[in-house]
Amino acid sequence: ELPELGPGVAPGVDKRTLQRLHRGQLEIEARIDLHGLTQEEAWRALHAFLDGARKADRRSVLVVTGKGETQGRALGVLRAAVPRWLNQPENRALVLAFCPARPKDGGAGALYVLLKRRR
């Protein structure tokens, strides 16, 4: 059982790497945009993307969820779901850390994700 991740909570990641992730200073090696997908489609796409990125030795990836602030809702469905999905066992086994992206990369509607190294 791996500990739960959250913005600023990344057991096993050194402080400098975590700071660089938060500042958007790690090169984005792959990205996925989940806009317009249903929750089920987005979950499958996210898992396949993370698995494929890790197999391709990508470490720093961008996951775009969209802000979803429409019709009076404060938080979009995918924006709320993706952090939970990153902590599910099948994804958590691939992920070291994640945090909200900087405005230049999508701001609150995107996440930087740091993947584990392939063994």
Side-chain angles (χ1 to χ4, degrees):
E1 184 77 16
L2 295 168
E4 188 165 324
L5 298 174
V9 180
V13 178
D14 65 273
K15 185 178 178 180
R16 180 163 159 65
T17 301
L18 193 55
Q19 284 178 336
R20 292 183 67 217
L21 182 69
H22 279 279
R23 293 177 182 158
Q25 295 174 335
L26 297 178
E27 179 185 351
I28 296 170
E29 298 172 308
R31 62 185 72 226
I32 185 170
D33 189 340
L34 302 175
H35 279 105
L37 301 179
T38 66
Q39 286 188 66
E40 186 175 322
E41 291 168 337
W43 190 94
R44 283 195 312 260
L46 176 66
H47 179 67
F49 169 74
L50 295 174
D51 189 48
R54 183 165 178 250
K55 286 178 180 173
D57 290 325
R58 308 279 192 255
R59 290 286 320 277
S60 179
V61 299
L62 183 71
V63 177
V64 179
T65 62
K67 293 181 182 174
E69 296 178 27
T70 59
Q71 301 173 355
R73 288 200 322 225
L75 193 61
V77 173
L78 294 180
R79 183 174 164 200
V82 168
R84 286 194 319 268
W85 296 345
L86 292 173
N87 277 295
Q88 289 180 336
E90 50 272 87
N91 291 328
R92 180 61 181 90
L94 307 172
V95 175
L96 275 176
F98 67 88
C99 66
R102 305 296 293 183
K104 68 181 176 81
D105 293 317
L111 295 169
Y112 296 128
V113 179
L114 183 64
L115 298 176
K116 293 180 179 180
R117 292 187 198 280
R118 215 169 66 155
R119 292 185 177 174

